[in-house]
Amino acid sequence: YVSAVVGMQIYSGNSGIISFGHAGFMALGAYGSALLTIQPAVISTSLPNLPHWLAAIAGGQSLLVGLAGAMVVVGLVAVLFGLPLARLGGSAASIATLGFLVIVHVTLVASTDITRGSQTFFGVPRGVSAFAALAVALCAVAVARIYRGTRGGLALRAAREDEIAARASGVNVVRQRLVAWVLGALVSGAAGVLLAHFLGAL
């Protein structure tokens, strides 16, 4: 939960834009890592129609491999959606993040061959200890603090306070919003991985 909150605040806290979409990144991280780490014996019964290209890499991977794979998926989706989102500000950007969350939800529910839709996705190995959760949470806090102290973090907070003045001072607001969006998405995705592997089902 600490990692999830920090991930959202990397974007919302620095940009001043309320985000509803970071829960979607948690879902993408959870399902992405679950597909890679699901117990191989369960795949044939729980995901009988899994596409062949995905079945070739799914199942039996370690938690670290699942985390890495999920971060790739989350990063790609964050960049693709973040490019148009970074051009928006204020309530328009907040509504766009809500739209992103709806898109992720509908896609996951409709992809029954991959995610089991609205049914329980089970067979995820429960490998998250308190130590692992603490390590990821500390890394998340460190990433957030380091980013906040960078030139980009300062520029984004300047745009949060007065966007016109920040642009007049040479701040590339679009780029800084995109960086914060992607960085927050990756941290939120890691929180989703932890949650999936703590619960064992989603």
Side-chain angles (χ1 to χ4, degrees), residues 54-114:
L54 190 54
I57 60 172
Q61 304 292 337
S62 68
L63 178 59
L64 287 178
V65 172
L67 177 63
M71 293 301 96
V72 170
V73 172
V74 168
L76 289 174
V77 172
V79 169
L80 287 174
F81 190 81
L83 289 171
L85 174 72
R87 298 181 180 280
L88 302 174
S91 58
S94 296
I95 292 169
T97 64
L98 180 60
F100 168 74
L101 179 60
V102 171
I103 290 169
V104 169
H105 176 261
V106 170
T107 303
L108 291 176
V109 170
S111 304
T112 54
D113 291 346
I114 299 173

Side-chain angles (χ1 to χ4, degrees), residues 10-28:
I10 288 174
Y11 176 72
S12 294
N14 290 298
S15 69
I17 298 169
I18 297 172
S19 172
F20 300 100
H22 282 71
F25 291 121
M26 286 184 68
L28 290 174

Side-chain angles (χ1 to χ4, degrees), residues 3 33 63 67 128 132-134 136-137 189-199:
S3 301
S33 67
L63 178 59
L67 177 63
V128 174
L134 177 62
V136 173
V193 171
L194 290 178
L195 189 59
H197 289 271
F198 175 73
L199 297 174

Side-chain angles (χ1 to χ4, degrees), residues 5-198:
V5 170
V6 169
M8 187 179 69
Q9 285 304 313
I10 288 174
Y11 176 72
S12 294
N14 290 298
S15 69
I17 298 169
I18 297 172
S19 172
F20 300 100
H22 282 71
F25 291 121
M26 286 184 68
L28 290 174
Y31 278 104
S33 67
L35 284 168
L36 290 173
T37 61
I38 189 173
Q39 297 170 4
V42 180
I43 293 178
S44 59
T45 56
S46 65
L47 299 168
N49 299 320
L50 192 64
H52 296 296
W53 64 271
L54 190 54
I57 60 172
Q61 304 292 337
S62 68
L63 178 59
L64 287 178
V65 172
L67 177 63
M71 293 301 96
V72 170
V73 172
V74 168
L76 289 174
V77 172
V79 169
L80 287 174
F81 190 81
L83 289 171
L85 174 72
R87 298 181 180 280
L88 302 174
S91 58
S94 296
I95 292 169
T97 64
L98 180 60
F100 168 74
L101 179 60
V102 171
I103 290 169
V104 169
H105 176 261
V106 170
T107 303
L108 291 176
V109 170
S111 304
T112 54
D113 291 346
I114 299 173
T115 64
R116 292 181 49 86
S118 57
Q119 298 179 14
T120 302
F121 189 108
F122 59 91
V124 182
R126 298 182 64 194
V128 174
S129 63
F131 177 76
L134 177 62
V136 173
L138 290 175
C139 286
V141 170
V143 165
R145 183 62 187 94
I146 290 168
Y147 172 72
R148 187 180 189 280
T150 63
R151 182 175 180 174
L154 180 62
L156 186 57
R157 290 196 310 281
R160 176 191 69 191
E161 299 303 324
D162 191 333
E163 185 174 340
I164 295 173
R167 287 181 187 275
S169 300
V171 173
N172 187 335
V173 177
V174 172
R175 183 175 63 198
Q176 298 308 328
R177 284 178 180 162
L178 178 62
V179 169
W181 173 259
V182 173
L183 193 59
L186 291 172
V187 173
S188 295
V193 171
L194 290 178
L195 189 59
H197 289 271
F198 175 73

